[in-house]
Amino acid sequence: IKTAPSTIEGAGRGAFVTRGFEAGEIVTTSPLIHVLNKTMLGRRGVRGDADHSGGQLLMNYCFSHPEISLALCPYGKGINSINHAPDKVNIRVEWPPHQFLNHNSTLLNIPPSLWSTSKPQLSLHYVATKPIRAGDELFLDYGQEWQRAWEDHIVAWRLSDVSFLLPHG
């Protein structure tokens, strides 16, 4: 995977493959950092809020659920540049088999409070859902909840919320 400007306007960087893949092939694998209490990461601060920790930025790249404290944060070359595009999806994420490198599938059956956080023990495979040509950008569907949150952010965002001045007024 290499990163370059995304083909999606306004998305920033995108993840592109350097070789082709057939449907069902593993495109890449990513270990996961598991954060047992995602509130440690903070939240996006609003003007006047003392918490501007950047934790929200990190959470944008993690897998979680509103009703649990666990966050699983993938890392690896280009992984966090895979953009959301439900109409262009060409990969999915799935758990690797138990025997795969740093993936310990037994963790999926015990409470996270019993997990060790000293080293990554879970991984994700990114699998082609259809043929992907060399040079194609990779796309996931982040889900409807993410889409709604993004749309709410776009509506709520105002230039006056930006905490720095733009050149030339």
Side-chain angles (χ1 to χ4, degrees):
I1 295 176
K2 66 177 186 172
T3 60
S6 176
T7 59
I8 299 174
E9 185 177 340
R13 308 288 292 168
F16 296 82
V17 293
T18 58
R19 71 171 186 86
F21 294 88
E22 295 299 320
E25 271 191 275
I26 298 169
V27 174
T28 192
T29 298
S30 172
L32 298 166
I33 297 170
H34 38 294
V35 179
L36 298 179
N37 182 356
K38 66 186 173 191
T39 60
M40 293 177 5
L41 300 175
R43 60 183 176 79
R44 178 178 34 221
V46 294
R47 196 173 285 254
D49 188 340
D51 184 2
H52 291 278
S53 67
Q56 179 64 41
L57 180 61
L58 178 60
M59 280 300 297
N60 287 341
Y61 297 99
C62 297
F63 296 96
S64 189
H65 187 277
E67 295 177 16
I68 63 171
S69 64
L70 176 70
L72 299 172
C73 306
Y75 65 95
K77 184 174 168 110
I79 293 297
N80 291 327
S81 294
I82 299 172
N83 286 311
H84 168 71
D87 57 332
K88 298 179 180 187
V89 169
N90 55 8
I91 58 170
R92 68 177 185 274
V93 293
E94 62 182 46
W95 297 118
H98 176 66
Q99 298 79 11
F100 188 81
L101 296 176
N102 284 333
H103 182 73
N104 180 356
S105 64
T106 61
L107 292 178
L108 302 175
N109 298 313
I110 62 174
S113 60
L114 299 178
W115 294 2
S116 164
T117 57
S118 62
K119 67 176 186 163
Q121 296 178 330
L122 291 174
S123 297
L124 287 176
H125 281 330
Y126 294 77
V127 179
T129 58
K130 59 186 178 184
I132 303 173
R133 297 180 317 240
D136 282 354
E137 185 171 1
L138 297 175
F139 297 107
L140 280 169
D141 183 347
Y142 294 178
Q144 292 178 349
E145 186 173 337
W146 185 93
Q147 183 67 42
R148 280 191 300 275
W150 177 251
E151 290 165 2
D152 290 348
H153 167 74
I154 295 299
V155 169
W157 185 83
R158 294 183 311 273
L159 188 57
S160 62
D161 290 337
V162 177
S163 62
F164 59 88
L165 297 176
L166 299 176
H168 310 299

